Amino acid sequence: MIGEESSGEDFLPIEPAAGPVRGAIRPPGSKSITNRALVCAALAEGDSLLSGALGSEDTRVMLAALEQLGIEVEHDPRAATVAVTGCGGLLPRADLELFAANSGTTIRFLTALTTLGRGRYRLSGVERMHERPIADLLVALNQLGADARSETGSGCPPVVVEASGLLGGECSVRGDISSQFLSGLLMATPRAAAPVKIAVEGELVSQPYIHMTLEVMRSFGIEAQAAADLSHFTIPAPQSYRGGGYAIEPDASAASYFWAAAAITGGRVLVEGLSLQALQGDVDFCRVLGQMGCTVVEEPEGISLVGGLLRGVEVNMNAISDTVQTLAVVALFAEGPTTIRGVAHIRHKETDRIGDLARELRKLGARVEELDAGLRIHPGPLRGAELDTYNDHRMAMSLALAGLKIPGVVIRNPGCTVKTYPHFFQDLAALRDSP
């Protein structure tokens, strides 16, 4: 049976659904929006109240770091709110060791944020975090007058920032590794001493996350000028963030698992609180399922996905790369192969989300080809297996979906979902068992 995520078990068998999954669910708040709103609220003049905020490992490490920096935060997990007393752009404390666990948003956003302080900051994380790239962000910050470096010279954390504020000016940043570098720059540079111009080198991955960053900044009173193709940005500075109320959408990446459950089992699932016009680009995952044969219905309460006869597709998922693993599991149950392209950058996430994903899908009986920037999945006779998660929350949640149809699926290290969705397995069980 699907058990409680926080049980501490090393292995979790997944019980197949008795039939088509039907029901409604509201996932927790968006991690991506929560961490962006926390940064903007921390820098703001005055108080902010974030509603619908996610309470997970990734947001807790951000909250803990902000408290270390001297920002007053009050998190109410039951109410899903965070009250923040902004610092007006002047970080109260320095000479700190900040720990980001394996949260890419936290370490990248805080690296940019701490350049606005006065003093020394060291930012570190778990072992995998010390393998994840950050050099391009450091180069861009240093072009704006910062003093930030990779402690080991590897281009990865730990990061040491000797902060004295950002001067402003012009910088460039690569866009093909992570959009989080650019988001971190965008949120910090309004507090520079002079206007900033940012040029993006090469292809910018995950563009919807940049639109998200700009919209969250706008909600806190900051305007930034962006080229239509997001290749150039101009940020007037110095500007002041303004505190206020901010409502956070349910997490669209988390919603993908429940839409996928409907697709895999031929059921119908309503995800409440999201629309096809949501701030998060990952709502477009529904449209991909529509191409595969499902029906997408936008309702007053949210978005429903109705399963249909699944067929393989070829799709560029660069803009919705956090849902690659979810689609790959859906592809196991489709007629014909599914080809996913445009996602070379996901090899640098919590794990290699191309190579490691391919390895686990093969355990289930699929034939999987690794491509330069994606993978091709050929459904085969499927079988149960013990599946490794690589301490990657998205690997655990997506692979668990296979167990809704395939007997004998066991998830190793299910507790890694605490990173973004502590009660995922409880919610999946409740939906599976809905009458």
Side-chain angles (χ1 to χ4, degrees):
M1 176 172 294
I2 300 175
E4 183 177 347
E5 144 52 37
S6 58
S7 66
E9 296 174 353
D10 292 329
F11 299 88
L12 183 61
I14 306 298
E15 182 178 322
V21 169
R22 302 183 185 277
I25 190 162
R26 187 183 181 97
S30 163
K31 176 202 75 172
S32 300
I33 299 178
T34 298
N35 271 353
R36 285 163 172 79
L38 284 171
V39 170
C40 294
L43 289 172
E45 302 275 359
D47 297 334
S48 298
L49 181 64
L50 313 183
S51 58
L54 174 65
S56 72
E57 181 183 73
D58 272 17
T59 53
R60 284 196 297 271
V61 295
M62 175 66 85
L63 286 165
L66 292 177
E67 286 187 302
Q68 281 185 266
L69 290 166
I71 310 297
E72 294 183 30
V73 297
E74 184 175 340
H75 180 210
D76 184 340
R78 289 187 177 276
T81 61
V82 182
V84 183
T85 299
C87 68
L90 301 175
L91 298 181
R93 297 178 188 159
D95 302 317
L96 298 171
E97 296 268 345
L98 303 175
F99 181 72
N102 199 19
S103 174
T105 56
T106 299
I107 202 162
R108 289 158 178 168
F109 293 176
L110 289 181
T111 294
L113 176 69
T114 55
T115 65
L116 303 176
R118 296 292 186 276
R120 186 179 188 275
Y121 304 89
R122 182 178 183 271
L123 301 94
S124 64
V126 299
E127 183 178 354
R128 172 61 181 171
M129 178 59 74
H130 295 171
E131 299 171 348
R132 298 178 67 180
I134 201 168
D136 297 305
L137 174 59
L138 304 180
V139 169
L141 289 168
N142 290 340
Q143 290 172 348
L144 298 176
D147 181 357
R149 60 182 173 83
S150 165
E151 185 177 71
T152 63
S154 65
C156 300
V159 170
V160 175
V161 177
E162 301 286 353
S164 57
L166 288 178
L167 299 178
E170 298 184 5
C171 71
S172 62
V173 62
R174 284 179 57 185
D176 61 341
I177 300 297
S178 174
S179 65
Q180 293 171 3
F181 301 156
L182 178 56
S183 287
L185 286 168
L186 287 169
M187 288 188 287
T189 49
R191 296 301 306 163
V196 172
K197 292 185 177 181
I198 304 172
V200 178
E201 297 180 353
E203 178 188 20
L204 176 59
V205 299
S206 305
Q207 291 192 13
Y209 286 95
I210 301 305
H211 290 295
M212 176 194 295
T213 300
L214 294 170
E215 285 300 320
V216 175
M217 291 168 60
R218 188 170 294 117
S219 296
F220 285 87
I222 295 294
E223 292 294 334
Q225 300 161 14
D229 62 356
L230 301 184
S231 62
H232 294 82
F233 299 81
T234 300
I235 301 92
Q239 293 186 72
S240 294
Y241 285 91
R242 297 193 302 270
Y246 188 80
I248 294 166
E249 299 172 349
D251 195 294
S253 304
S256 74
Y257 308 117
F258 303 107
W259 288 321
I264 288 169
T265 65
R268 180 181 184 125
V269 172
L270 167 67
V271 174
E272 299 172 345
L274 287 173
S275 74
L276 294 174
Q277 292 73 46
L279 191 57
Q280 302 163 81
D282 279 354
V283 294
D284 280 347
F285 181 76
C286 286
R287 294 187 172 96
V288 179
L289 293 181
Q291 295 172 32
M292 297 184 80
C294 298
T295 301
V296 181
V297 182
E298 192 164 17
E299 305 185 39
E301 301 84 2
I303 303 172
S304 285
L305 193 290
V306 183
L309 185 63
L310 296 173
R311 57 183 179 270
V313 293
E314 181 165 345
V315 58
N316 187 314
M317 298 188 73
N318 184 282
I320 56 171
S321 60
D322 276 346
T323 63
V324 166
Q325 291 136 299
T326 321
L327 187 70
V329 173
V330 175
L332 296 175
F333 305 95
E335 182 70 28
T338 291
T339 303
I340 297 170
R341 300 190 183 278
V343 293
H345 61 287
I346 69 174
R347 290 191 185 274
H348 306 290
K349 295 284 189 174
E350 284 81 346
T351 190
D352 177 352
R353 288 183 175 171
I354 294 176
D356 293 335
L357 175 61
R359 184 177 301 111
E360 299 311 305
L361 295 178
R362 291 178 188 125
K363 291 180 183 178
L364 293 169
R367 181 165 65 87
V368 185
E369 303 172 53
E370 288 189 47
L371 309 175
D372 288 343
L375 64 168
R376 182 176 294 113
I377 301 137
H378 300 264
L382 300 176
R383 57 180 181 267
E386 287 191 359
L387 301 174
D388 290 300
T389 58
Y390 307 87
N391 205 34
D392 182 348
H393 56 131
R394 300 207 186 282
M395 195 74 82
M397 291 186 280
S398 58
L399 292 173
L401 299 173
L404 295 177
K405 287 281 283 187
I406 307 170
V409 170
V410 177
I411 301 299
R412 293 175 176 167
N413 185 26
C416 66
T417 61
V418 72
K419 179 176 170 66
T420 56
Y421 200 156
H423 303 295
F424 170 76
F425 289 106
Q426 289 172 296
D427 287 354
L428 184 61
L431 184 66
R432 183 207 60 199
D433 297 336
S434 295

